[in-house]
Amino acid sequence: MTFHPTRSLIAAAGAMALLTGAAAADIDLEQYMEMFEPLPALPPIPADNSLTPEKIELGKMLFFEPRLSSSGVISCATCHNPALGWADRLPRGTGHEGQIGLRNTPTVLNSGFLTSQFWDGREPDLEGQALGPIEAPDEMAMDLDEALQRIEEFDVYIRLFSEAFPDDENPINAQNVAQSLATFQRTLNTPNSPFDRFLRGDMQAMTEQQVAGMVAFVDNGCVACHQGPALTDGMFHRFELPGPTDLGRYVVTGEEFDRYAFRTPTLRNVAVTYPYFHNGSIDNLHDAVNLMGEQMLGQEFDDETLDDIVAFLHALTGEMPAVTIPALP
Amino acid sequence: MTFHPTRSLIAAAGAMALLTGAAAADIDLEQYMEMFEPLPALPPIPADNSLTPEKIELGKMLFFEPRLSSSGVISCATCHNPALGWADRLPRGTGHEGQIGLRNTPTVLNSGFLTSQFWDGREPDLEGQALGPIEAPDEMAMDLDEALQRIEEFDVYIRLFSEAFPDDENPINAQNVAQSLATFQRTLNTPNSPFDRFLRGDMQAMTEQQVAGMVAFVDNGCVACHQGPALTDGMFHRFELPGPTDLGRYVVTGEEFDRYAFRTPTLRNVAVTYPYFHNGSIDNLHDAVNLMGEQMLGQEFDDETLDDIVAFLHALTGEMPAVTIPALP
């Protein structure tokens, strides 16, 4: 979907005035609704890593497996905590021996819809992402070979890897850890948010203020970068934030225009995945939206617009995946 | 229940020989079965802390709440991990900034049945236990007042504390944190193990080897200390272990006979709550049973007896509580 926001759209339709009123409102709103996509039930599944129940089950166990960390107490679920919107609600991730990392922990929710992984987009997919935090010295600080040796000690894992990868002679390997973790993560989606229900035709699913916020979101150009099912264009942008920063996308490409640039984050579940931005320096949505207005759109939102957009962002909280904690061997 | 184990019992009945056989076996087995109690659905509930759905819900959220730790990433559930038998499967607990503590993390499962808390029994009940790990510098390392301040920031917690403690003017306080955590923990019981079903009359619930192990468990005197619904007498005993130790119960009482003494642990779910003993130095049941035979009973079990007792201990794994991860504010 390509969309170039324009003030003329809303001006012509007078949509704001019509929101509370007559039949014409629906027609005008449709132009806005067409700029968005409801979240599909599943993200794209790669041809070389089919989504199977066996891989989902194994991936779930590995996601909760603290023995993948050198200390034996940190699992993927420690920072991508299901109780905290599958993130950690800290400015920056806290890992091995209490070290504080460089960047804010992104939520795993709907991460299969992203076109690249990590804030700097250095991996193209969840398979490429999965092993990074296990090995990172300030996260799980684990040697991958040692992790595999620990896993191999358990009959349960030997069986589950064999079932998930029946064609492999030695299925317990790093690639299969990554494939099963990625497969599990592709199931962690949050459908049926008020926004999705609204887009599917339930006009009562969002409040009037949230609808007004959706209109303001389009009209002010937020949608230029926050588009598509996960409300991110997958592109890299540069702006100024308080607090520590790093070179961002530049580290990946070496291109000058990528210096301090970070990938547009998803806005899905943004109300429950605070604090915000790559360094987690902003802890509430009002300040985050305000900063985006100033930095990306060159304007100061009036209080009403700000409130409306924040209300709209609350409508992006979907149904959390019902994950029961696995019993590990 | 008072029980003094005696070899004459089994000798007279010839139970071992009858296990696989005729009707007489059931009669003999009954004498053994009467020495045990199936796990009740709930432990005793204190008069001054009634078990209410509101306290259970609040306690569950607090149990998973990492903001009760100074780092913001450690919750009760980090070391009492539901994926790992509500313990951590490490020799000794790993807490704030990776510090390794003095003792093995006991499981929370069925802890409401214990007559004292902590390895040294320094607290009489779960209410007394609950705040200890939050404040311990090598566990969650959190100032209690600061923890309460963090909680007070959330409308959800203000509401939940008010609902759980409707008579309190200022319900967010340390005592109520302890009361709600204790209440939640009293719901974490594991009924209907093969052993419980066997005791209730399902004679097929345990294997023949497990029944033989139960008989050996009684006949060799293990049941002298491992008795009652949680299979612990709640008393303190001293024995020699490899690895680091500490003064144990002596720290609490100052009595010479308590030096290096630790409370008999529950045997419920012992197969899934390795490693064993207060310093976690033994990582498998065979070695643990063998050590107990040598140290507490002054005998070396033959291989068959050892295998039988270990098989019996596997029959003590009950149904794990079905806990879904709460959504924290």
Side-chain angles (χ1 to χ4, degrees), chain A residues 67 73 83 89-90 274 326 328-329, chain B residues 67 73 83 89 274 326 328-329:
Chain A
R67 286 165 295 208
V73 285
R89 297 205 180 135
L90 293 168
Y274 63 88
L328 299 178
Chain B
R67 284 164 296 207
V73 286
R89 298 205 180 134
Y274 62 89
L328 299 177

Side-chain angles (χ1 to χ4, degrees), chain A residues 91-121:
Chain A
R92 295 176 287 141
T94 295
H96 186 65
E97 293 183 342
Q99 294 174 83
I100 294 177
L102 203 60
R103 296 176 185 159
N104 178 258
T105 305
T107 180
V108 172
L109 295 170
N110 310 307
S111 56
F113 290 96
L114 301 178
T115 50
S116 69
Q117 299 294 327
F118 295 113
W119 279 102
D120 55 21

